[in-house]
Amino acid sequence: MRPYESYVYAYPHKTAYRPLDPRPHLKEVWAGERPGALYVHIPFCEMRCGFCNLFTRTGAPEELVTAYLDALERQAGQVRDALEETSFGTAALGGGTPTYLSARELDRLFDLTERTMGVDLARVPLSVETSPATATPDRLSVLAERGTSRISIGVQSFVPEEARSAVRPQKRAEVDAALDAIRASGVPVLNIDLIYGIDGQTSRSWQYSLDTALGWRPEELYLYPLYVRPLTGLGKQGRAWDDQRLELYRAGRDHLLAAGYEQVSMRMFRLPGSGAEADYCCQTDGMVGLGCGARSYTSGLHYSFEYAVGARHVRSIIDDYVARADFDVANVGFALSPDERRRRHLIQSLLRAEGMSRRLYTDRFGSDVLDDFPMDWLGHWLTITDETIALTPEGLAHSDAIGPALFSPEVRRLMDGYEAC
């Protein structure tokens, strides 16, 4: 089994979504459902990194940002009317790069989200993504004043040559200044993203990036393997380096564990007791997504707008979004059968270090997970007790193979049949 098949951050992936016919009204979709999480998507960045396959565009002019915020307000109003409750347990601003917006535009984003959705973002754990170039004191001041509890910054590497190799041009002084500014802002949780597997990266340079990041004592660190995807700038190189990535992953994991961090998943490491706790469970609660690149999901339906990575198609989708008036229906999505609901619960639970509660699964579905999904094939990568099913440390290291192996035949068929654009 190859260790790096794909990153399973959600199930099913958007490439399994298809146009919904008929398009269900959101009042029907959300009837009897608890939203749980609120996600607001800003599809703009100052540059596109070579490894990026996110839904984002670069160089958006001010008038487009204004039109996007106008559309976001229209969407929020119609979505709010469709919800039976807005007792969100957690919220996030992602992208793209939300701090691509100016301080004034960020204030407007907070205003329209809170006013229209009826949620006080300062009263729930709120995470915001940023970048070294946009984590400026004026923007960070807005985030802190509006109650942001976590800021995540994509550094990727503290070695300039590695950053350039990953097509992530950035100045080291700019990175240091951004991290200093985040710490000075008073936002309690700092997360730093790092990437391993970059061309030219060595065990020594990887440890240098880890130690440099630890100098800011971030409450969280995410360690991402570099993926080569066909629609990204690096995808044309067509190389594979499984052994190197596994070696660097294990070294990074062990280094952070020795530094006092706990492992939450293959990618996430956290200082014990330092993170904001959210009243949200991704296995059982839904998510409301606002913005043209956001997913929304209930127990029975996952939906979004059209999905793309290529610049021309992304721009077209954003243009359609800002001109749209009807936000009260679900357009593109995937309806989850009872089997898919069980499968999603398993995947979302098993890929975390704490594993899956067998009782929670049985209480929800009325059966034992091992009867529904025999997992003898995982062998020594799995630890089974009466209470939990969990991956071993080496099993966690192979999360990007185990997750995709649990996909249903139907989801695989749809993903394989997706026409990339």
Side-chain angles (χ1 to χ4, degrees), residues 39-180:
Y39 175 74
V40 183
H41 181 256
I42 304 298
F44 307 124
C45 287
E46 75 276 10
M47 64 179 177
R48 180 178 281 277
C49 304
F51 51 83
C52 177
N53 75 330
L54 298 177
F55 183 97
T56 187
R57 68 158 287 180
T58 60
E62 184 178 352
E63 56 269 24
L64 178 59
V65 175
T66 298
Y68 185 84
L69 293 176
D70 290 343
L72 198 63
E73 188 163 16
R74 294 195 300 274
Q75 183 189 11
Q78 295 181 43
V79 170
R80 174 65 183 88
D81 289 343
L83 298 176
E84 295 181 353
E85 63 168 289
T86 55
S87 56
F88 297 103
T90 185
L93 307 181
T97 307
T99 50
Y100 180 87
L101 275 59
S102 67
R104 177 182 58 81
E105 291 164 340
L106 283 170
D107 252 329
R108 186 192 170 192
L109 176 62
F110 275 92
D111 285 344
L112 74 86
T113 303
E114 293 188 331
R115 181 180 64 251
T116 310
M117 292 300 295
V119 56
D120 183 355
L121 294 177
R123 297 180 66 87
V124 298
L126 171 64
S127 177
V128 181
E129 296 175 15
T130 191
S131 68
T134 62
T136 55
D138 59 334
R139 292 177 171 101
L140 294 171
S141 178
V142 173
L143 300 186
E145 290 171 1
R146 302 304 292 260
T148 302
S149 54
R150 177 182 182 270
I151 291 179
S152 178
I153 183 169
V155 173
Q156 319 315 350
S157 175
F158 285 94
V159 180
E161 294 79 11
E162 292 178 3
R164 286 195 296 270
S165 180
V167 196
R168 169 77 181 214
Q170 60 189 18
K171 297 178 181 178
R172 173 61 193 277
E174 186 177 65
V175 174
D176 291 357
L179 289 165
D180 286 342

Side-chain angles (χ1 to χ4, degrees), residues 63-342:
E63 56 269 24
L64 178 59
V65 175
T66 298
Y68 185 84
L69 293 176
D70 290 343
L72 198 63
E73 188 163 16
R74 294 195 300 274
Q75 183 189 11
Q78 295 181 43
V79 170
R80 174 65 183 88
D81 289 343
L83 298 176
E84 295 181 353
E85 63 168 289
T86 55
S87 56
F88 297 103
T90 185
L93 307 181
T97 307
T99 50
Y100 180 87
L101 275 59
S102 67
R104 177 182 58 81
E105 291 164 340
L106 283 170
D107 252 329
R108 186 192 170 192
L109 176 62
F110 275 92
D111 285 344
L112 74 86
T113 303
E114 293 188 331
R115 181 180 64 251
T116 310
M117 292 300 295
V119 56
D120 183 355
L121 294 177
R123 297 180 66 87
V124 298
L126 171 64
S127 177
V128 181
E129 296 175 15
T130 191
S131 68
T134 62
T136 55
D138 59 334
R139 292 177 171 101
L140 294 171
S141 178
V142 173
L143 300 186
E145 290 171 1
R146 302 304 292 260
T148 302
S149 54
R150 177 182 182 270
I151 291 179
S152 178
I153 183 169
V155 173
Q156 319 315 350
S157 175
F158 285 94
V159 180
E161 294 79 11
E162 292 178 3
R164 286 195 296 270
S165 180
V167 196
R168 169 77 181 214
Q170 60 189 18
K171 297 178 181 178
R172 173 61 193 277
E174 186 177 65
V175 174
D176 291 357
L179 289 165
D180 286 342
I182 293 171
R183 277 310 193 202
S185 74
V187 173
V189 176
L190 165 64
N191 172 72
I192 298 176
D193 290 345
L194 297 175
I195 286 181
Y196 55 93
I198 300 171
D199 189 29
Q201 191 176 51
T202 65
S203 296
R204 185 173 181 178
S205 67
W206 175 229
Q207 182 165 326
Y208 172 79
S209 281
L210 291 166
D211 284 335
T212 304
L214 289 174
W216 278 276
R217 199 61 174 168
E219 284 72 25
E220 296 175 4
L221 279 146
Y222 272 72
L223 309 185
Y224 288 94
L226 179 64
Y227 267 97
V228 174
R229 296 179 172 92
L231 295 178
T232 67
L234 293 176
K236 299 175 183 178
Q237 299 181 18
R239 298 170 300 152
W241 47 92
D242 290 352
D243 290 345
Q244 183 206 14
R245 285 182 287 181
L246 266 178
E247 177 185 349
L248 293 174
Y249 161 77
R250 292 176 181 130
R253 173 197 63 195
D254 294 347
H255 197 68
L256 294 184
L257 292 176
Y261 287 76
E262 62 181 1
Q263 186 167 16
V264 178
S265 67
M266 173 186 168
R267 286 165 172 76
M268 181 182 177
F269 295 81
R270 176 176 59 199
L271 278 176
S274 62
E277 296 298 324
D279 179 24
Y280 174 73
C281 175
C282 68
Q283 290 92 336
T284 58
D285 294 335
M287 182 171 77
V288 172
L290 301 177
C292 61
R295 282 184 312 118
S296 298
Y297 58 80
T298 68
S299 60
L301 180 70
H302 291 206
Y303 65 93
S304 67
F305 296 99
E306 294 288 347
Y307 173 71
V309 176
R312 180 170 62 87
H313 292 91
V314 168
R315 290 186 179 216
S316 175
I317 293 171
I318 294 174
D319 290 343
D320 289 344
Y321 175 82
V322 300
R324 181 182 290 270
D326 59 328
F327 292 105
D328 59 350
V329 295
N331 296 276
V332 178
F334 181 91
L336 278 71
S337 67
D339 174 76
E340 294 289 8
R341 297 180 195 185
R342 288 174 165 82

